[in-house]
Protein backbone atom coordinates (compact mmCIF):
# COMPACT_ATOMS: atom_id res chain seq x y z
CA UNK A 1 0.00 0.00 0.00
CA UNK A 2 2.79 2.43 0.93
CA UNK A 3 4.56 1.55 -2.31
CA UNK A 4 1.38 2.37 -4.26
CA UNK A 5 1.22 5.83 -2.67
CA UNK A 6 4.88 6.52 -3.47
CA UNK A 7 4.35 5.27 -7.01
CA UNK A 8 1.33 7.53 -7.45
CA UNK A 9 3.37 10.50 -6.20
CA UNK A 10 6.10 9.70 -8.72
CA UNK A 11 3.57 9.50 -11.55
CA UNK A 12 2.21 12.91 -10.57
CA UNK A 13 5.68 14.43 -10.36
CA UNK A 14 6.77 12.95 -13.71
CA UNK A 15 3.59 13.85 -15.63
CA UNK A 16 3.77 16.38 -18.42
CA UNK A 17 0.09 17.19 -17.86
CA UNK A 18 -2.80 16.11 -15.62
CA UNK A 19 -6.35 15.43 -16.80
CA UNK A 20 -8.67 15.66 -13.79
CA UNK A 21 -12.00 13.88 -14.23
CA UNK A 22 -14.76 14.32 -11.66
CA UNK A 23 -18.37 13.35 -11.05
CA UNK A 24 -20.92 13.25 -8.21
CA UNK A 25 -18.50 11.69 -5.74
CA UNK A 26 -16.45 14.87 -5.70
CA UNK A 27 -19.51 17.08 -5.18
CA UNK A 28 -20.71 14.85 -2.34
CA UNK A 29 -17.28 15.14 -0.73
CA UNK A 30 -17.73 18.91 -0.85
CA UNK A 31 -21.12 18.61 0.85
CA UNK A 32 -23.39 18.83 -2.20
CA UNK A 33 -25.51 15.72 -2.68
CA UNK A 34 -27.98 15.98 -5.57
CA UNK A 35 -29.71 12.76 -4.50
CA UNK A 36 -30.18 13.32 -0.76
CA UNK A 37 -33.54 13.83 0.92
CA UNK A 38 -32.49 15.31 4.25
CA UNK A 39 -32.69 18.41 6.43
CA UNK A 40 -30.21 20.22 4.20
CA UNK A 41 -32.72 20.03 1.34
CA UNK A 42 -35.19 21.96 3.51
CA UNK A 43 -32.45 24.42 4.49
CA UNK A 44 -31.80 25.19 0.84
CA UNK A 45 -35.34 25.17 -0.60
CA UNK A 46 -37.47 26.04 2.42
CA UNK A 47 -41.25 25.78 2.05
CA UNK A 48 -40.98 24.65 -1.57
CA UNK A 49 -39.95 21.13 -0.45
CA UNK A 50 -43.28 20.54 1.30
CA UNK A 51 -45.31 22.50 -1.27
CA UNK A 52 -44.20 20.26 -4.15
CA UNK A 53 -43.03 17.19 -2.20
CA UNK A 54 -39.56 17.59 -3.71
CA UNK A 55 -37.44 14.46 -3.16
CA UNK A 56 -33.96 15.90 -3.75
CA UNK A 57 -32.09 18.70 -5.48
CA UNK A 58 -32.05 16.62 -8.65
CA UNK A 59 -35.81 16.14 -8.39
CA UNK A 60 -36.26 19.86 -7.75
CA UNK A 61 -34.31 20.77 -10.88
CA UNK A 62 -36.43 18.48 -13.06
CA UNK A 63 -39.84 19.18 -11.53
CA UNK A 64 -42.59 20.54 -13.80
CA UNK A 65 -43.71 23.55 -11.77
CA UNK A 66 -47.16 25.04 -12.43
CA UNK A 67 -45.72 28.55 -12.62
CA UNK A 68 -42.41 30.09 -13.64
CA UNK A 69 -42.03 32.09 -10.43
CA UNK A 70 -41.69 28.98 -8.30
CA UNK A 71 -39.35 27.40 -10.84
CA UNK A 72 -36.96 30.33 -10.62
CA UNK A 73 -37.39 30.57 -6.85
CA UNK A 74 -36.01 27.03 -6.70
CA UNK A 75 -33.15 27.83 -9.08
CA UNK A 76 -32.26 31.00 -7.17
CA UNK A 77 -32.28 29.29 -3.77
CA UNK A 78 -29.97 26.55 -5.04
CA UNK A 79 -27.63 29.04 -6.70
CA UNK A 80 -27.53 31.28 -3.64
CA UNK A 81 -26.64 28.44 -1.29
CA UNK A 82 -24.24 26.49 -3.48
CA UNK A 83 -22.81 29.14 -5.84
CA UNK A 84 -23.19 32.77 -4.72
CA UNK A 85 -22.05 31.91 -1.18
CA UNK A 86 -19.60 29.21 -2.25
CA UNK A 87 -16.18 29.27 -0.64
CA UNK A 88 -13.60 26.73 -1.87
CA UNK A 89 -12.79 24.25 0.87
CA UNK A 90 -9.89 22.00 1.75
CA UNK A 91 -10.48 19.63 -1.17
CA UNK A 92 -10.01 22.38 -3.75
CA UNK A 93 -6.90 23.65 -1.94
CA UNK A 94 -5.46 20.13 -1.86
CA UNK A 95 -6.24 19.60 -5.55
CA UNK A 96 -4.34 22.78 -6.43
CA UNK A 97 -1.43 21.53 -4.32
CA UNK A 98 -1.46 18.18 -6.13
CA UNK A 99 -1.55 19.83 -9.56
CA UNK A 100 1.34 22.06 -8.41
CA UNK A 101 1.46 24.33 -11.43
CA UNK A 102 1.49 21.55 -14.04
CA UNK A 103 -0.60 21.93 -17.21
CA UNK A 104 -4.00 20.54 -16.32
CA UNK A 105 -7.60 20.31 -17.49
CA UNK A 106 -10.78 19.38 -15.64
CA UNK A 107 -13.39 17.19 -17.34
CA UNK A 108 -16.53 16.97 -15.21
CA UNK A 109 -20.18 16.00 -15.34
CA UNK A 110 -20.93 18.05 -12.21
CA UNK A 111 -23.32 20.96 -12.80
CA UNK A 112 -22.39 22.97 -9.70
CA UNK A 113 -19.69 25.08 -11.44
CA UNK A 114 -17.48 24.73 -8.35
CA UNK A 115 -14.21 24.15 -10.19
CA UNK A 116 -14.60 27.49 -11.95
CA UNK A 117 -15.63 29.23 -8.72
CA UNK A 118 -12.57 27.72 -7.02
CA UNK A 119 -10.30 29.40 -9.56
CA UNK A 120 -9.64 26.62 -12.06
CA UNK A 121 -9.64 28.07 -15.57
CA UNK A 122 -9.43 25.05 -17.87
CA UNK A 123 -12.52 22.87 -17.65
CA UNK A 124 -15.22 21.14 -19.67
CA UNK A 125 -18.64 20.82 -18.02
CA UNK A 126 -20.15 18.12 -20.21
CA UNK A 127 -23.61 18.54 -18.64
CA UNK A 128 -23.48 22.33 -18.35
CA UNK A 129 -24.02 24.13 -15.05
CA UNK A 130 -26.90 25.67 -13.11
CA UNK A 131 -25.40 29.15 -13.27
CA UNK A 132 -25.78 29.43 -17.05
CA UNK A 133 -28.93 30.14 -19.09
CA UNK A 134 -29.96 29.01 -22.56
CA UNK A 135 -32.59 30.50 -24.88
CA UNK A 136 -35.78 28.43 -24.93
CA UNK A 137 -36.64 29.41 -28.51
CA UNK A 138 -33.25 29.38 -30.23
CA UNK A 139 -30.97 27.29 -27.97
CA UNK A 140 -28.46 26.44 -30.70
CA UNK A 141 -28.29 29.83 -32.37
CA UNK A 142 -28.21 32.22 -29.42
CA UNK A 143 -25.40 32.63 -26.90
CA UNK A 144 -25.33 31.13 -23.43
CA UNK A 145 -25.94 33.60 -20.61
CA UNK A 146 -24.16 33.93 -17.25
CA UNK A 147 -26.94 34.06 -14.65
CA UNK A 148 -24.90 34.53 -11.48
CA UNK A 149 -26.04 38.09 -10.76
CA UNK A 150 -29.58 37.51 -12.08
CA UNK A 151 -30.13 34.54 -9.79
CA UNK A 152 -28.84 36.52 -6.82
CA UNK A 153 -31.30 39.35 -7.58
CA UNK A 154 -34.17 36.85 -7.91
CA UNK A 155 -33.23 35.40 -4.53
CA UNK A 156 -33.17 38.82 -2.85
CA UNK A 157 -36.52 39.85 -4.32
CA UNK A 158 -38.03 36.51 -3.35
CA UNK A 159 -36.83 37.04 0.21
CA UNK A 160 -38.38 40.51 0.21
CA UNK A 161 -41.65 39.32 -1.35
CA UNK A 162 -41.29 41.60 -4.37
CA UNK A 163 -40.48 39.00 -7.07
CA UNK A 164 -42.60 39.27 -10.24
CA UNK A 165 -42.50 37.59 -13.65
CA UNK A 166 -40.87 40.73 -15.05
CA UNK A 167 -37.79 39.85 -12.99
CA UNK A 168 -37.29 36.49 -14.71
CA UNK A 169 -34.39 36.31 -17.21
CA UNK A 170 -34.91 36.52 -20.96
CA UNK A 171 -32.70 36.06 -24.01
CA UNK A 172 -30.86 39.23 -24.99
CA UNK A 173 -31.12 38.29 -28.69
CA UNK A 174 -34.84 37.56 -29.02
CA UNK A 175 -36.51 38.21 -25.66
CA UNK A 176 -37.58 34.58 -25.14
CA UNK A 177 -37.53 33.09 -21.62
CA UNK A 178 -34.32 31.42 -20.53
CA UNK A 179 -33.85 27.96 -19.06
CA UNK A 180 -30.96 26.57 -17.08
CA UNK A 181 -28.34 25.02 -19.35
CA UNK A 182 -28.39 21.56 -17.78
CA UNK A 183 -29.26 18.16 -19.36
CA UNK A 184 -32.54 18.25 -21.24
CA UNK A 185 -34.01 19.06 -24.64
CA UNK A 186 -32.52 22.58 -24.65
CA UNK A 187 -29.03 21.72 -23.43
CA UNK A 188 -26.19 23.34 -25.37
CA UNK A 189 -22.54 22.39 -24.96
CA UNK A 190 -20.22 25.33 -24.39
CA UNK A 191 -18.09 25.23 -27.52
CA UNK A 192 -15.31 27.31 -26.00
CA UNK A 193 -14.91 24.65 -23.33
CA UNK A 194 -15.03 21.89 -25.94
CA UNK A 195 -12.33 23.56 -28.01
CA UNK A 196 -10.13 23.99 -24.95
CA UNK A 197 -10.50 20.32 -24.07
CA UNK A 198 -9.72 19.21 -27.64
CA UNK A 199 -6.60 21.38 -27.70
CA UNK A 200 -5.42 19.93 -24.38
CA UNK A 201 -5.90 16.32 -25.45
CA UNK A 202 -4.30 16.87 -28.86
CA UNK A 203 -1.28 18.50 -27.24
CA UNK A 204 -0.64 15.92 -24.54
CA UNK A 205 -2.19 12.65 -25.73
CA UNK A 206 1.16 11.19 -26.78
CA UNK A 207 3.12 12.66 -23.84
CA UNK A 208 3.25 11.70 -20.15
CA UNK A 209 -0.36 12.46 -19.30
CA UNK A 210 -1.89 11.39 -15.99
CA UNK A 211 -5.63 10.93 -15.51
CA UNK A 212 -6.69 11.75 -11.93
CA UNK A 213 -10.24 10.45 -11.50
CA UNK A 214 -12.30 11.79 -8.57
CA UNK A 215 -15.51 10.18 -7.39
CA UNK A 216 -16.65 8.55 -10.64
CA UNK A 217 -18.64 5.35 -10.22
CA UNK A 218 -17.62 2.18 -12.08
CA UNK A 219 -20.66 2.34 -14.38
CA UNK A 220 -20.15 5.97 -15.45
CA UNK A 221 -19.50 5.71 -19.17
CA UNK A 222 -19.68 9.37 -20.11
CA UNK A 223 -16.22 10.27 -18.80
CA UNK A 224 -14.70 7.12 -17.31
CA UNK A 225 -14.46 4.95 -20.42
CA UNK A 226 -13.08 7.59 -22.82
CA UNK A 227 -10.46 8.66 -20.26
CA UNK A 228 -9.39 5.05 -19.71
CA UNK A 229 -9.18 4.63 -23.48
CA UNK A 230 -6.90 7.66 -23.59
CA UNK A 231 -4.62 5.93 -21.08
CA UNK A 232 -4.81 2.60 -22.89
CA UNK A 233 -3.72 4.22 -26.13
CA UNK A 234 -0.63 5.90 -24.67
CA UNK A 235 2.04 3.71 -23.06
CA UNK A 236 3.54 6.75 -21.26
CA UNK A 237 0.30 7.67 -19.50
CA UNK A 238 -0.96 6.74 -16.03
CA UNK A 239 -4.31 6.50 -14.26
CA UNK A 240 -5.17 7.22 -10.62
CA UNK A 241 -8.77 6.68 -9.51
CA UNK A 242 -10.33 7.55 -6.14
CA UNK A 243 -13.74 6.10 -5.34
CA UNK A 244 -14.51 4.51 -1.98
CA UNK A 245 -15.67 0.91 -2.23
CA UNK A 246 -16.03 0.84 -6.01
CA UNK A 247 -12.95 0.70 -8.22
CA UNK A 248 -12.96 -0.29 -11.86
CA UNK A 249 -9.54 -0.72 -13.46
CA UNK A 250 -9.45 -2.79 -16.67
CA UNK A 251 -6.57 -5.21 -17.11
CA UNK A 252 -5.33 -3.43 -20.21
CA UNK A 253 -4.18 -0.45 -18.11
CA UNK A 254 -3.67 -2.30 -14.80
CA UNK A 255 0.12 -2.00 -14.76
CA UNK A 256 -0.16 1.79 -15.15
CA UNK A 257 -3.06 2.34 -12.75
CA UNK A 258 -3.59 2.82 -9.03
CA UNK A 259 -6.95 2.91 -7.28
CA UNK A 260 -7.68 4.39 -3.84
CA UNK A 261 -10.75 2.87 -2.18
CA UNK A 262 -11.07 5.76 0.25
CA UNK A 263 -12.56 9.19 0.66
CA UNK A 264 -11.13 11.80 -1.68
CA UNK A 265 -9.81 13.74 1.32
CA UNK A 266 -7.91 10.70 2.63
CA UNK A 267 -6.44 9.98 -0.80
CA UNK A 268 -5.43 13.62 -1.28
CA UNK A 269 -3.66 13.56 2.11
CA UNK A 270 -1.78 10.44 1.03
CA UNK A 271 -0.79 11.90 -2.34
CA UNK A 272 0.49 15.07 -0.65
CA UNK A 273 2.27 13.51 2.35
CA UNK A 274 3.29 10.16 0.86
CA UNK A 275 1.78 8.23 3.76
CA UNK A 276 -1.61 6.87 4.74
CA UNK A 277 -3.40 3.74 5.89
CA UNK A 278 -5.58 3.32 2.81
CA UNK A 279 -6.90 0.42 0.77
CA UNK A 280 -5.30 0.58 -2.66
CA UNK A 281 -5.38 -1.45 -5.85
CA UNK A 282 -2.54 -1.70 -8.34
CA UNK A 283 -0.37 -1.25 -10.15
CA UNK A 284 -0.49 -4.83 -11.35
CA UNK A 285 2.47 -6.67 -12.79
CA UNK A 286 2.67 -6.58 -16.60
CA UNK A 287 1.29 -9.69 -18.22
CA UNK A 288 3.99 -12.01 -19.59
CA UNK A 289 4.38 -11.99 -23.34
CA UNK A 290 2.99 -15.07 -25.07
CA UNK A 291 5.40 -17.70 -26.32
CA UNK A 292 5.58 -18.25 -30.10
CA UNK A 293 3.34 -21.30 -29.69
CA UNK A 294 0.81 -19.35 -27.58
CA UNK A 295 0.87 -16.52 -30.12
CA UNK A 296 0.18 -19.00 -32.92
CA UNK A 297 -2.77 -20.46 -31.00
CA UNK A 298 -4.05 -16.96 -30.30
CA UNK A 299 -3.83 -16.03 -33.97
CA UNK A 300 -5.76 -19.16 -34.93
CA UNK A 301 -8.43 -18.31 -32.35
CA UNK A 302 -8.66 -14.77 -33.72
CA UNK A 303 -9.52 -16.13 -37.16
CA UNK A 304 -12.68 -17.70 -35.71
CA UNK A 305 -13.91 -14.27 -34.68
CA UNK A 306 -12.35 -12.07 -37.37
CA UNK A 307 -12.03 -14.51 -40.31
CA UNK A 308 -9.94 -12.29 -42.55
CA UNK A 309 -8.24 -9.29 -40.98
CA UNK A 310 -5.31 -6.92 -41.18
CA UNK A 311 -4.18 -4.45 -38.55
CA UNK A 312 -2.77 -1.00 -39.30
CA UNK A 313 -1.65 1.81 -37.04
CA UNK A 314 -4.38 4.42 -36.63
CA UNK A 315 -4.27 8.17 -37.05
CA UNK A 316 -3.84 8.81 -33.32
CA UNK A 317 -0.79 7.77 -31.25
CA UNK A 318 -1.29 4.40 -29.56
CA UNK A 319 -4.18 3.44 -31.83
CA UNK A 320 -4.61 0.39 -34.04
CA UNK A 321 -7.28 -0.21 -36.66
CA UNK A 322 -8.37 -3.72 -37.57
CA UNK A 323 -9.99 -4.21 -40.98
CA UNK A 324 -11.97 -7.43 -40.97
CA UNK A 325 -14.00 -9.13 -43.67
CA UNK A 326 -16.94 -11.44 -42.91
CA UNK A 327 -19.34 -13.31 -45.16
CA UNK A 328 -22.48 -15.46 -44.64
CA UNK A 329 -20.40 -18.58 -44.05
CA UNK A 330 -17.99 -16.87 -41.66
CA UNK A 331 -19.70 -14.62 -39.09
CA UNK A 332 -17.79 -13.10 -36.21
CA UNK A 333 -18.89 -15.28 -33.29
CA UNK A 334 -19.85 -14.11 -29.80
CA UNK A 335 -16.97 -12.76 -27.73
CA UNK A 336 -16.43 -10.04 -25.14
CA UNK A 337 -15.09 -6.61 -25.98
CA UNK A 338 -12.55 -6.13 -23.19
CA UNK A 339 -12.14 -2.48 -23.98
CA UNK A 340 -14.48 0.00 -25.63
CA UNK A 341 -13.95 0.34 -29.36
CA UNK A 342 -15.35 2.14 -32.39
CA UNK A 343 -16.80 -0.09 -35.12
CA UNK A 344 -17.24 1.42 -38.59
CA UNK A 345 -18.75 0.18 -41.85
CA UNK A 346 -16.21 0.21 -44.70
CA UNK A 347 -17.82 -1.42 -47.75
CA UNK A 348 -19.75 -4.45 -48.97
CA UNK A 349 -23.06 -5.67 -47.62
CA UNK A 350 -24.59 -4.16 -44.48
CA UNK A 351 -23.57 -5.75 -41.18
CA UNK A 352 -25.64 -6.56 -38.10
CA UNK A 353 -23.76 -6.23 -34.82
CA UNK A 354 -25.44 -8.10 -31.96
CA UNK A 355 -24.70 -6.61 -28.54
CA UNK A 356 -25.26 -8.21 -25.13
CA UNK A 357 -24.48 -5.60 -22.47
CA UNK A 358 -23.36 -6.04 -18.87
CA UNK A 359 -26.66 -4.71 -17.50
CA UNK A 360 -28.62 -7.54 -19.13
CA UNK A 361 -29.88 -5.88 -22.30
CA UNK A 362 -29.68 -7.07 -25.89
CA UNK A 363 -29.75 -4.76 -28.90
CA UNK A 364 -28.52 -4.86 -32.46
CA UNK A 365 -26.92 -2.21 -34.62
CA UNK A 366 -27.04 -2.20 -38.43
CA UNK A 367 -23.90 -0.87 -40.07
CA UNK A 368 -24.27 0.42 -43.59
CA UNK A 369 -24.98 3.47 -45.71
CA UNK A 370 -28.77 3.37 -46.09
CA UNK A 371 -30.25 5.60 -43.36
CA UNK A 372 -33.76 4.83 -44.62
CA UNK A 373 -33.22 1.27 -43.41
CA UNK A 374 -31.95 2.46 -40.01
CA UNK A 375 -28.35 1.76 -40.92
CA UNK A 376 -25.56 3.77 -39.31
CA UNK A 377 -22.01 4.30 -40.53
CA UNK A 378 -20.44 3.55 -37.16
CA UNK A 379 -20.95 3.33 -33.41
CA UNK A 380 -19.07 2.82 -30.15
CA UNK A 381 -19.41 -0.49 -28.34
CA UNK A 382 -18.77 -0.32 -24.61
CA UNK A 383 -16.32 -2.44 -22.64
CA UNK A 384 -17.71 -5.65 -21.18
CA UNK A 385 -20.19 -6.15 -24.01
CA UNK A 386 -20.49 -9.50 -25.78
CA UNK A 387 -20.75 -8.94 -29.51
CA UNK A 388 -21.18 -10.97 -32.68
CA UNK A 389 -21.36 -9.75 -36.26
CA UNK A 390 -22.93 -11.16 -39.41
CA UNK A 391 -23.84 -9.91 -42.85
CA UNK A 392 -27.44 -9.32 -43.85
CA UNK A 393 -29.17 -12.12 -45.70
CA UNK A 394 -29.66 -11.45 -49.37
CA UNK A 395 -26.67 -9.16 -49.70
CA UNK A 396 -25.51 -8.50 -53.22
CA UNK A 397 -21.77 -8.30 -52.64
CA UNK A 398 -21.41 -11.54 -50.73
CA UNK A 399 -19.20 -10.12 -47.99
CA UNK A 400 -18.78 -7.14 -45.69
CA UNK A 401 -15.78 -5.23 -44.45
CA UNK A 402 -15.71 -3.15 -41.29
CA UNK A 403 -12.98 -1.41 -39.28
CA UNK A 404 -12.50 -1.66 -35.52
CA UNK A 405 -10.38 0.84 -33.60
CA UNK A 406 -8.68 -0.21 -30.35
CA UNK A 407 -5.59 0.65 -28.25
CA UNK A 408 -2.32 -0.81 -29.52
CA UNK A 409 -1.23 -2.18 -26.15
CA UNK A 410 -4.20 -4.44 -25.55
CA UNK A 411 -3.41 -8.06 -24.75
CA UNK A 412 -5.31 -9.34 -27.77
CA UNK A 413 -6.92 -12.09 -25.73
CA UNK A 414 -10.50 -13.02 -26.47
CA UNK A 415 -13.04 -13.79 -23.76
CA UNK A 416 -15.66 -16.33 -24.84
CA UNK A 417 -18.93 -16.61 -22.91
CA UNK A 418 -20.34 -19.91 -21.70
CA UNK A 419 -23.44 -20.72 -23.68
CA UNK A 420 -25.53 -21.84 -20.70
CA UNK A 421 -24.78 -18.71 -18.70
CA UNK A 422 -25.47 -16.41 -21.64
CA UNK A 423 -28.76 -18.13 -22.45
CA UNK A 424 -29.80 -17.86 -18.81
CA UNK A 425 -29.05 -14.14 -18.82
CA UNK A 426 -30.75 -13.55 -22.20
CA UNK A 427 -33.49 -16.19 -22.55
CA UNK A 428 -35.19 -14.30 -25.37
CA UNK A 429 -32.12 -14.63 -27.60
CA UNK A 430 -31.47 -18.36 -27.14
CA UNK A 431 -31.64 -19.22 -30.85
CA UNK A 432 -29.38 -16.29 -31.75
CA UNK A 433 -26.85 -17.26 -29.10
CA UNK A 434 -26.70 -20.86 -30.24
CA UNK A 435 -26.28 -19.79 -33.87
CA UNK A 436 -23.44 -17.38 -33.16
CA UNK A 437 -21.62 -19.17 -30.35
CA UNK A 438 -18.21 -20.48 -31.37
CA UNK A 439 -18.13 -24.26 -31.73
CA UNK A 440 -15.21 -25.37 -29.53
Amino acid sequence: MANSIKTAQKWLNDADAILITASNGFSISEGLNLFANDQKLVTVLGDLVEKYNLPSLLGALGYQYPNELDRWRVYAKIAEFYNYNYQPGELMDQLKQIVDGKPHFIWTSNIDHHFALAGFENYLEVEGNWQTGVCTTHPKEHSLVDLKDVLHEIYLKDQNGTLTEQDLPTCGDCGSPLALNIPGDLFKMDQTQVEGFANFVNKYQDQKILVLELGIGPQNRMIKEPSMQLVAGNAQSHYITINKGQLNIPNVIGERSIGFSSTISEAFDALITGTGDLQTQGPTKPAPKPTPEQQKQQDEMMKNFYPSYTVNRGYRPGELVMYTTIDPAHPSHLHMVQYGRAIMYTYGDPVTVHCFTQDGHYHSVKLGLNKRKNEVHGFYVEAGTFIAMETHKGGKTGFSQISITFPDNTSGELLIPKVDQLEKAYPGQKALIERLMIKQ
Side-chain angles (χ1 to χ4, degrees):
M1 181 271 295
N3 288 338
S4 294
I5 295 174
K6 294 295 185 182
T7 300
Q9 281 188 314
K10 185 178 187 307
W11 290 352
L12 284 163
N13 290 333
D14 292 346
D16 293 319
I18 300 174
L19 174 61
I20 301 160
T21 61
S23 190
N24 290 315
F26 188 86
S27 292
I28 292 172
S29 297
E30 277 207 301
L32 195 173
N33 191 335
L34 288 175
F35 311 98
N37 186 338
D38 53 17
Q39 184 56 43
K40 195 171 186 180
L41 182 66
V42 178
T43 300
V44 176
L45 297 180
D47 63 319
L48 292 167
V49 174
E50 183 175 354
K51 182 176 181 179
Y52 292 111
N53 193 28
L54 300 175
S56 62
L57 288 176
L58 190 62
L61 289 169
Y63 190 85
Q64 297 299 312
Y65 297 93
N67 65 77
E68 289 300 298
L69 282 180
D70 276 354
R71 179 189 306 279
W72 285 94
R73 287 179 67 205
V74 166
Y75 295 166
K77 286 175 180 289
I78 293 174
E80 188 73 13
F81 191 93
Y82 287 109
N83 288 65
Y84 197 83
N85 294 318
Y86 174 75
Q87 294 294 326
E90 184 180 8
L91 281 185
M92 288 296 186
D93 292 338
Q94 289 179 313
L95 182 57
K96 291 177 182 178
Q97 189 175 349
I98 289 170
V99 170
D100 192 28
K102 285 184 179 291
H104 61 276
F105 201 97
I106 295 172
W107 185 10
T108 180
S109 58
N110 294 342
I111 61 175
D112 51 48
H113 203 50
H114 282 182
F115 288 107
L117 295 175
F120 289 94
E121 296 180 351
N122 304 315
Y123 53 86
L124 171 60
E125 298 166 320
V126 292
E127 294 194 329
N129 69 70
W130 57 28
Q131 189 177 288
T132 302
V134 61
C135 178
T136 55
T137 303
H138 306 284
K140 294 182 179 179
E141 295 84 357
H142 293 171
S143 301
L144 296 172
V145 181
D146 185 345
L147 295 177
K148 179 182 178 182
D149 293 334
V150 173
L151 288 166
H152 180 58
E153 288 299 317
I154 291 175
Y155 175 81
L156 294 177
K157 289 185 178 182
D158 180 36
Q159 293 297 103
N160 295 328
T162 60
L163 182 66
T164 68
E165 291 191 358
Q166 283 67 44
D167 298 312
L168 304 185
T170 56
C171 176
D173 293 319
C174 68
S176 297
L178 293 181
L180 293 189
N181 191 43
I182 56 178
D185 294 338
L186 300 173
F187 175 66
K188 176 181 179 179
M189 189 77 78
D190 188 320
Q191 292 304 309
T192 300
Q193 294 182 13
V194 172
E195 183 178 351
F197 178 64
N199 291 339
F200 177 85
V201 172
N202 288 334
K203 183 175 182 179
Y204 294 107
Q205 66 179 345
D206 58 347
Q207 298 185 42
K208 294 178 182 178
I209 190 168
L210 181 137
V211 173
L212 178 60
E213 182 183 275
L214 309 175
I216 300 183
Q219 301 305 316
N220 184 310
R221 292 166 177 151
M222 181 185 300
I223 294 176
K224 191 176 188 75
E225 288 197 2
S227 63
M228 290 192 299
Q229 178 123 25
L230 178 66
V231 175
N234 176 0
Q236 300 186 86
S237 62
H238 292 97
Y239 175 75
I240 299 174
T241 177
I242 306 169
N243 197 56
K244 189 171 184 178
Q246 291 184 310
L247 297 176
N248 176 18
I249 301 176
N251 293 335
V252 69
I253 61 172
E255 65 188 274
R256 292 182 285 113
S257 300
I258 293 173
F260 290 87
S261 179
S262 69
T263 67
I264 296 175
S265 179
E266 290 170 339
F268 277 4
D269 285 339
L271 291 173
I272 291 170
T273 65
T275 62
D277 185 18
L278 308 181
Q279 182 180 346
T280 62
Q281 176 182 326
T284 60
K285 294 181 179 179
K289 294 183 178 180
T291 64
E293 180 61 30
Q294 289 172 330
Q295 186 64 54
K296 182 179 178 181
Q297 291 177 355
Q298 188 169 300
D299 291 342
E300 290 299 318
M301 178 64 73
M302 278 286 287
K303 292 179 182 179
N304 289 318
F305 295 89
Y306 300 103
S308 174
Y309 71 92
T310 58
V311 176
N312 298 319
R313 183 158 297 281
Y315 295 107
R316 291 177 175 270
E319 177 186 87
L320 297 177
V321 180
M322 172 193 290
Y323 293 92
T324 184
T325 302
I326 59 177
D327 59 54
H330 301 92
S332 178
H333 297 281
L334 275 164
H335 62 287
M336 178 181 281
V337 176
Q338 289 183 273
Y339 211 83
R341 55 186 58 179
I343 301 180
M344 305 287 290
Y345 172 85
T346 302
Y347 62 82
D349 296 325
V351 175
T352 297
V353 184
H354 303 280
C355 303
F356 297 81
T357 64
Q358 286 289 305
D359 55 3
H361 292 91
Y362 163 79
H363 68 277
S364 64
V365 178
K366 294 181 180 179
L367 295 179
L369 301 178
N370 193 339
K371 293 182 179 180
R372 290 175 296 180
K373 294 184 178 181
N374 296 320
E375 296 172 5
V376 297
H377 186 251
F379 79 110
Y380 185 83
V381 59
E382 295 168 342
T385 303
F386 286 107
I387 68 168
M389 293 174 284
E390 59 183 344
T391 57
H392 283 304
K393 293 180 179 180
K396 297 179 180 179
T397 307
F399 66 91
S400 306
Q401 186 180 85
I402 62 171
S403 66
I404 304 173
T405 303
F406 56 97
D408 68 358
N409 62 337
T410 54
S411 64
E413 296 176 353
L414 291 166
L415 298 181
I416 308 169
K418 292 184 178 179
V419 62
D420 56 339
Q421 294 180 357
L422 205 60
E423 288 180 351
K424 184 178 180 180
Y426 304 91
Q429 267 65 47
K430 182 177 180 179
L432 176 65
I433 292 169
E434 291 181 350
R435 186 176 84 244
L436 293 174
M437 184 66 70
I438 186 70
K439 305 301 187 290
Q440 299 188 73

